[in-house]
Amino acid sequence: MSKSKEPRPVIGYWMSERKRQKLNWSEFGKVCRYNGFELVKIELDKPLENQGPFAVILHKLTEFIARNDQEMALIFNERSVVDCKPPCVAQSFVNHNALLFKIFVVGEEYQVVERPSLKNFYPSDQSTIFFDSHNVSKSDSSSQLSVLDPEDQAHIPQIDINKLETIVKVLREELNLTLFGIDIVVENHTGRHAIIDINVYPGYDGFPNFFVSLMNCIKMKLAEKKATVEDREAGKTFLKLESKPEQDDSGFDTCDSSDERKQRQLISSTSINNKISAISKKSVNR
Protein backbone atom coordinates (compact mmCIF):
# COMPACT_ATOMS: atom_id res chain seq x y z
CA MET A 1 0.00 0.00 0.00
CA SER A 2 1.22 3.46 -0.81
CA LYS A 3 1.58 5.92 1.99
CA SER A 4 -1.14 8.54 2.19
CA LYS A 5 0.01 12.07 1.66
CA GLU A 6 0.39 14.23 4.73
CA PRO A 7 -2.32 16.90 4.96
CA ARG A 8 -1.25 20.35 3.88
CA PRO A 9 -0.78 22.96 6.61
CA VAL A 10 -3.79 25.27 6.74
CA ILE A 11 -3.76 29.07 6.59
CA GLY A 12 -6.93 30.33 8.23
CA TYR A 13 -8.25 33.79 7.48
CA TRP A 14 -11.15 36.08 8.13
CA MET A 15 -12.05 39.31 6.39
CA SER A 16 -15.21 40.86 5.05
CA GLU A 17 -16.45 39.83 1.60
CA ARG A 18 -15.80 43.38 0.39
CA LYS A 19 -12.18 43.19 1.52
CA ARG A 20 -11.77 39.70 0.06
CA GLN A 21 -12.93 40.85 -3.36
CA LYS A 22 -10.85 44.00 -3.23
CA LEU A 23 -7.69 41.97 -2.57
CA ASN A 24 -8.66 39.35 -5.18
CA TRP A 25 -8.23 36.75 -2.45
CA SER A 26 -8.97 33.79 -4.72
CA GLU A 27 -5.59 34.43 -6.35
CA PHE A 28 -3.90 34.10 -2.97
CA GLY A 29 -5.58 30.70 -2.64
CA LYS A 30 -3.72 29.63 -5.79
CA VAL A 31 -0.44 30.93 -4.36
CA CYS A 32 -1.09 28.98 -1.17
CA ARG A 33 -1.72 25.71 -3.01
CA TYR A 34 1.37 26.21 -5.16
CA ASN A 35 3.42 26.56 -1.97
CA GLY A 36 1.90 23.55 -0.25
CA PHE A 37 -0.77 25.24 1.92
CA GLU A 38 -4.54 25.26 2.04
CA LEU A 39 -6.40 28.53 2.51
CA VAL A 40 -9.57 28.25 4.62
CA LYS A 41 -12.00 30.97 5.71
CA ILE A 42 -12.72 30.89 9.44
CA GLU A 43 -16.38 30.79 10.50
CA LEU A 44 -16.71 33.25 13.35
CA ASP A 45 -19.94 31.70 14.68
CA LYS A 46 -18.17 28.39 15.41
CA PRO A 47 -15.46 27.53 17.98
CA LEU A 48 -12.02 28.05 16.52
CA GLU A 49 -10.66 24.79 17.97
CA ASN A 50 -13.21 22.85 15.93
CA GLN A 51 -11.99 24.34 12.66
CA GLY A 52 -8.22 23.90 12.84
CA PRO A 53 -5.54 23.12 13.31
CA PHE A 54 -4.19 26.26 11.61
CA ALA A 55 -0.55 26.90 10.92
CA VAL A 56 -1.24 30.62 10.54
CA ILE A 57 -4.25 32.87 11.01
CA LEU A 58 -4.68 36.06 9.00
CA HIS A 59 -7.43 38.33 10.24
CA LYS A 60 -9.00 41.76 9.93
CA LEU A 61 -11.44 41.78 12.82
CA THR A 62 -11.64 45.57 13.01
CA GLU A 63 -14.00 45.40 10.03
CA PHE A 64 -16.68 44.40 12.55
CA ILE A 65 -16.62 47.88 14.02
CA ALA A 66 -19.01 50.40 12.52
CA ARG A 67 -16.69 53.22 11.59
CA ASN A 68 -16.96 56.66 10.06
CA ASP A 69 -13.24 57.28 10.19
CA GLN A 70 -13.18 58.62 6.63
CA GLU A 71 -15.38 61.59 7.58
CA MET A 72 -13.11 64.52 8.35
CA ALA A 73 -13.18 68.25 8.88
CA LEU A 74 -10.70 71.11 8.55
CA ILE A 75 -11.17 73.64 11.35
CA PHE A 76 -9.54 77.03 10.83
CA ASN A 77 -10.29 78.91 14.05
CA GLU A 78 -11.32 78.51 17.66
CA ARG A 79 -14.88 79.59 16.93
CA SER A 80 -15.40 76.57 14.67
CA VAL A 81 -14.32 73.97 17.23
CA VAL A 82 -18.03 73.49 17.98
CA ASP A 83 -18.23 71.74 14.60
CA CYS A 84 -16.39 68.77 16.13
CA LYS A 85 -18.89 66.06 17.02
CA PRO A 86 -17.43 63.59 19.53
CA PRO A 87 -16.22 60.96 19.57
CA CYS A 88 -13.49 62.22 17.31
CA VAL A 89 -9.72 62.54 17.03
CA ALA A 90 -8.05 65.95 16.68
CA GLN A 91 -4.77 66.37 14.82
CA SER A 92 -2.67 69.42 14.00
CA PHE A 93 -2.72 70.08 10.28
CA VAL A 94 0.69 69.89 8.59
CA ASN A 95 1.07 71.64 5.25
CA HIS A 96 2.52 69.04 2.89
CA ASN A 97 1.80 70.32 -0.63
CA ALA A 98 -0.99 67.84 -1.33
CA LEU A 99 1.26 64.75 -1.35
CA LEU A 100 0.68 61.71 0.87
CA PHE A 101 3.12 58.81 1.20
CA LYS A 102 1.46 55.48 1.96
CA ILE A 103 3.88 52.84 3.25
CA PHE A 104 2.67 49.24 3.02
CA VAL A 105 4.56 46.81 5.28
CA VAL A 106 4.66 43.02 4.89
CA GLY A 107 7.04 41.52 7.44
CA GLU A 108 10.53 42.77 6.56
CA GLU A 109 9.43 44.28 3.24
CA TYR A 110 7.75 47.58 2.52
CA GLN A 111 6.65 49.63 -0.46
CA VAL A 112 6.06 53.38 -0.79
CA VAL A 113 3.09 54.59 -2.83
CA GLU A 114 2.35 58.27 -3.49
CA ARG A 115 -1.24 59.50 -3.27
CA PRO A 116 -2.92 62.89 -3.63
CA SER A 117 -3.78 64.70 -0.42
CA LEU A 118 -5.01 68.04 0.89
CA LYS A 119 -3.48 71.26 -0.35
CA ASN A 120 -1.95 73.79 2.05
CA PHE A 121 -4.27 75.61 4.46
CA TYR A 122 -3.67 78.28 7.10
CA PRO A 123 -5.54 79.67 10.15
CA SER A 124 -8.25 82.08 9.05
CA ASP A 125 -11.88 83.08 9.51
CA GLN A 126 -12.90 80.49 6.95
CA SER A 127 -15.77 78.17 7.79
CA THR A 128 -15.12 74.50 8.53
CA ILE A 129 -14.60 72.27 5.51
CA PHE A 130 -16.13 68.79 5.77
CA PHE A 131 -14.91 66.05 3.46
CA ASP A 132 -14.47 62.31 2.98
CA SER A 133 -10.83 61.25 2.85
CA HIS A 134 -11.69 58.58 0.24
CA ASN A 135 -12.58 61.39 -2.14
CA VAL A 136 -9.20 63.04 -1.62
CA SER A 137 -6.52 60.37 -1.18
CA LYS A 138 -7.43 57.56 -3.57
CA SER A 139 -5.12 56.98 -6.52
CA ASP A 140 -7.78 58.24 -8.94
CA SER A 141 -9.05 61.12 -6.79
CA SER A 142 -9.47 64.53 -8.40
CA SER A 143 -10.79 66.69 -5.56
CA GLN A 144 -10.52 70.46 -5.66
CA LEU A 145 -9.14 70.21 -2.12
CA SER A 146 -5.98 68.72 -3.66
CA VAL A 147 -5.33 71.49 -6.16
CA LEU A 148 -2.32 73.51 -5.01
CA ASP A 149 -2.34 77.28 -5.11
CA PRO A 150 0.12 78.70 -7.68
CA GLU A 151 2.63 79.82 -5.03
CA ASP A 152 2.91 76.26 -3.68
CA GLN A 153 3.35 74.39 -6.96
CA ALA A 154 7.13 74.86 -7.23
CA HIS A 155 7.96 72.84 -4.10
CA ILE A 156 7.44 69.07 -4.14
CA PRO A 157 8.21 67.37 -0.80
CA GLN A 158 10.51 64.34 -0.87
CA ILE A 159 10.54 61.52 1.63
CA ASP A 160 13.83 60.75 3.39
CA ILE A 161 14.59 57.02 2.96
CA ASN A 162 16.73 56.89 6.11
CA LYS A 163 13.94 58.41 8.20
CA LEU A 164 11.42 56.12 6.54
CA GLU A 165 13.39 52.98 7.35
CA THR A 166 13.72 54.13 10.96
CA ILE A 167 9.96 54.75 11.23
CA VAL A 168 9.12 51.33 9.76
CA LYS A 169 11.64 49.54 12.00
CA VAL A 170 10.48 51.22 15.22
CA LEU A 171 6.77 50.76 14.55
CA ARG A 172 7.23 47.12 13.52
CA GLU A 173 9.07 46.37 16.77
CA GLU A 174 7.10 48.52 19.21
CA LEU A 175 3.63 47.67 17.91
CA ASN A 176 4.50 44.03 17.18
CA LEU A 177 2.77 44.23 13.80
CA THR A 178 3.48 42.19 10.68
CA LEU A 179 0.92 43.51 8.19
CA PHE A 180 0.26 47.21 8.46
CA GLY A 181 0.28 50.53 6.63
CA ILE A 182 1.61 53.95 7.58
CA ASP A 183 0.45 57.30 6.20
CA ILE A 184 3.23 59.89 6.23
CA VAL A 185 3.34 63.51 5.09
CA VAL A 186 6.45 65.66 4.75
CA GLU A 187 6.03 69.22 5.97
CA ASN A 188 6.89 71.73 3.29
CA HIS A 189 9.89 73.99 3.93
CA THR A 190 11.04 71.98 7.02
CA GLY A 191 11.13 68.38 5.75
CA ARG A 192 9.64 67.17 9.04
CA HIS A 193 8.04 63.74 8.64
CA ALA A 194 4.64 63.33 10.31
CA ILE A 195 2.83 60.01 10.85
CA ILE A 196 -0.85 60.81 10.42
CA ASP A 197 -2.32 57.30 10.44
CA ILE A 198 -1.47 53.64 11.01
CA ASN A 199 -3.68 50.96 9.45
CA VAL A 200 -3.76 47.28 10.36
CA TYR A 201 -3.94 45.09 7.25
CA PRO A 202 -4.46 47.88 4.67
CA GLY A 203 -5.60 47.41 1.07
CA TYR A 204 -2.07 47.11 -0.38
CA ASP A 205 -3.09 48.92 -3.57
CA GLY A 206 0.10 49.53 -5.53
CA PHE A 207 2.16 46.85 -3.74
CA PRO A 208 3.73 44.76 -6.55
CA ASN A 209 3.49 40.98 -6.14
CA PHE A 210 1.78 41.36 -2.77
CA PHE A 211 0.73 37.71 -2.51
CA VAL A 212 4.29 36.51 -3.15
CA SER A 213 5.58 38.82 -0.40
CA LEU A 214 2.80 37.67 1.93
CA MET A 215 3.65 34.01 1.33
CA ASN A 216 7.36 34.70 1.95
CA CYS A 217 6.39 36.41 5.20
CA ILE A 218 4.25 33.44 6.29
CA LYS A 219 7.07 30.99 5.55
CA MET A 220 9.54 33.13 7.49
CA LYS A 221 7.24 33.32 10.52
CA LEU A 222 6.65 29.57 10.52
CA ALA A 223 10.38 28.88 10.17
CA GLU A 224 11.10 31.18 13.12
CA LYS A 225 8.49 29.44 15.25
CA LYS A 226 9.76 25.99 14.28
CA ALA A 227 13.33 26.96 15.20
CA THR A 228 12.13 28.30 18.56
CA VAL A 229 10.23 25.10 19.35
CA GLU A 230 13.21 22.94 18.36
CA ASP A 231 15.54 25.00 20.53
CA ARG A 232 13.22 24.67 23.50
CA GLU A 233 12.94 20.92 23.03
CA ALA A 234 16.72 20.67 22.89
CA GLY A 235 16.87 22.28 26.31
CA LYS A 236 18.76 25.38 25.25
CA THR A 237 18.80 28.41 27.51
CA PHE A 238 17.24 31.54 26.17
CA LEU A 239 17.78 35.11 27.23
CA LYS A 240 14.58 36.57 28.48
CA LEU A 241 13.80 39.56 26.30
CA GLU A 242 11.70 42.51 27.33
CA SER A 243 8.10 41.64 26.49
CA LYS A 244 6.51 43.32 23.49
CA PRO A 245 2.94 44.64 23.48
CA GLU A 246 0.35 42.52 21.72
CA GLN A 247 -2.27 44.00 19.40
CA ASP A 248 -5.71 42.41 19.34
CA ASP A 249 -5.80 42.86 15.58
CA SER A 250 -2.21 42.49 14.45
CA GLY A 251 -3.40 40.85 11.24
CA PHE A 252 -1.07 37.89 11.76
CA ASP A 253 -1.13 35.04 14.26
CA THR A 254 1.09 31.94 14.33
CA CYS A 255 -1.32 30.21 16.70
CA ASP A 256 0.53 30.61 20.01
CA SER A 257 -1.35 29.49 23.09
CA SER A 258 -3.42 31.98 25.05
CA ASP A 259 -0.99 31.68 28.00
CA GLU A 260 1.68 33.32 25.87
CA ARG A 261 -0.58 36.29 25.15
CA LYS A 262 -1.73 37.41 28.57
CA GLN A 263 0.58 40.41 28.95
CA ARG A 264 -0.72 43.40 26.98
CA GLN A 265 0.65 46.90 27.29
CA LEU A 266 -0.21 50.26 25.80
CA ILE A 267 2.62 51.99 23.92
CA SER A 268 2.36 55.76 24.01
CA SER A 269 3.08 57.81 20.92
CA THR A 270 5.65 59.72 23.00
CA SER A 271 7.81 56.63 23.59
CA ILE A 272 7.68 55.70 19.90
CA ASN A 273 8.57 59.23 18.84
CA ASN A 274 11.48 59.27 21.29
CA LYS A 275 12.80 55.99 19.94
CA ILE A 276 12.51 57.16 16.32
CA SER A 277 14.29 60.38 17.23
CA ALA A 278 17.10 58.55 19.03
CA ILE A 279 17.76 56.17 16.15
CA SER A 280 17.64 59.02 13.64
CA LYS A 281 20.22 60.99 15.62
CA LYS A 282 22.56 57.99 15.70
CA SER A 283 22.26 57.63 11.94
CA VAL A 284 23.09 61.32 11.44
CA ASN A 285 26.09 61.16 13.79
CA ARG A 286 27.56 58.27 11.84
Side-chain angles (χ1 to χ4, degrees), residues 21-173:
Q21 292 181 5
K22 181 179 179 181
L23 288 173
N24 195 17
W25 206 239
S26 59
E27 288 300 313
F28 184 56
K30 297 177 183 178
V31 173
C32 289
R33 289 189 292 275
Y34 180 81
N35 285 272
F37 294 88
E38 288 293 336
L39 185 65
V40 175
K41 185 174 183 178
I42 294 171
E43 298 182 50
L44 298 181
D45 58 348
K46 296 181 180 180
L48 186 62
E49 56 269 21
N50 294 342
Q51 301 180 61
F54 298 108
V56 169
I57 294 177
L58 305 169
H59 56 93
K60 186 70 168 66
L61 295 182
T62 50
E63 292 189 77
F64 271 134
I65 304 172
R67 297 164 58 182
N68 293 315
D69 60 355
Q70 311 304 330
E71 297 177 1
M72 298 188 179
L74 287 171
I75 296 175
F76 297 89
N77 48 68
E78 185 175 347
R79 182 189 70 250
S80 299
V81 172
V82 295
D83 293 332
C84 291
K85 304 301 180 185
C88 61
V89 175
Q91 290 181 310
S92 298
F93 185 78
V94 175
N95 280 326
H96 53 282
N97 283 37
L99 183 59
L100 171 68
F101 297 95
K102 297 189 77 70
I103 291 80
F104 298 122
V105 182
V106 181
E108 298 298 316
E109 298 182 47
Y110 70 86
Q111 292 284 338
V112 182
V113 177
E114 295 183 5
R115 294 280 177 81
S117 185
L118 294 170
K119 69 176 188 176
N120 300 333
F121 289 100
Y122 302 91
S124 69
D125 292 330
Q126 183 174 341
S127 299
T128 300
I129 296 176
F130 296 93
F131 66 98
D132 188 318
S133 64
H134 276 165
N135 297 330
V136 175
S137 297
K138 289 294 185 182
S139 57
D140 57 352
S141 297
S142 57
S143 171
Q144 285 298 311
L145 294 176
S146 299
V147 179
L148 286 172
D149 296 329
E151 61 269 22
D152 294 324
Q153 292 177 0
H155 179 70
I156 304 298
Q158 299 294 326
I159 199 162
D160 185 315
I161 295 301
N162 291 328
K163 290 182 180 179
L164 174 58
E165 290 182 349
T166 298
I167 290 170
V168 171
K169 180 178 185 295
V170 171
L171 290 179
R172 183 193 293 123
E173 293 176 354

Side-chain angles (χ1 to χ4, degrees), residues 129-282:
I129 296 176
F130 296 93
F131 66 98
D132 188 318
S133 64
H134 276 165
N135 297 330
V136 175
S137 297
K138 289 294 185 182
S139 57
D140 57 352
S141 297
S142 57
S143 171
Q144 285 298 311
L145 294 176
S146 299
V147 179
L148 286 172
D149 296 329
E151 61 269 22
D152 294 324
Q153 292 177 0
H155 179 70
I156 304 298
Q158 299 294 326
I159 199 162
D160 185 315
I161 295 301
N162 291 328
K163 290 182 180 179
L164 174 58
E165 290 182 349
T166 298
I167 290 170
V168 171
K169 180 178 185 295
V170 171
L171 290 179
R172 183 193 293 123
E173 293 176 354
E174 293 296 330
L175 300 179
N176 196 25
L177 294 173
T178 304
L179 305 173
F180 64 103
I182 315 166
D183 289 355
I184 295 177
V185 296
V186 179
E187 188 173 33
N188 59 342
H189 305 307
T190 70
R192 182 170 65 103
H193 289 46
I195 300 170
I196 62 172
D197 200 8
I198 299 174
N199 304 295
V200 177
Y201 213 148
Y204 289 99
D205 295 334
F207 193 114
N209 301 316
F210 167 61
F211 291 147
V212 174
S213 296
L214 179 57
M215 178 53 63
N216 290 339
C217 181
I218 290 172
K219 288 181 176 180
M220 182 187 70
K221 286 289 184 180
L222 290 176
E224 288 175 355
K225 184 176 182 182
K226 181 180 179 182
T228 300
V229 171
E230 289 176 349
D231 285 346
R232 285 176 180 168
E233 290 176 350
K236 291 186 177 181
T237 303
F238 292 88
L239 294 176
K240 186 175 182 181
L241 303 178
E242 181 181 354
S243 62
K244 294 282 195 271
E246 288 281 354
Q247 296 292 317
D248 287 335
D249 192 21
S250 65
F252 205 114
D253 193 336
T254 51
C255 304
D256 291 334
S257 68
S258 59
D259 290 340
E260 295 174 321
R261 307 183 58 154
K262 287 182 179 178
Q263 289 298 325
R264 300 179 183 272
Q265 302 173 359
L266 291 177
I267 297 298
S268 69
S269 59
T270 302
S271 66
I272 293 176
N273 287 337
N274 289 341
K275 193 161 187 178
I276 291 174
S277 177
I279 295 177
S280 297
K281 287 178 181 177
K282 288 181 182 179

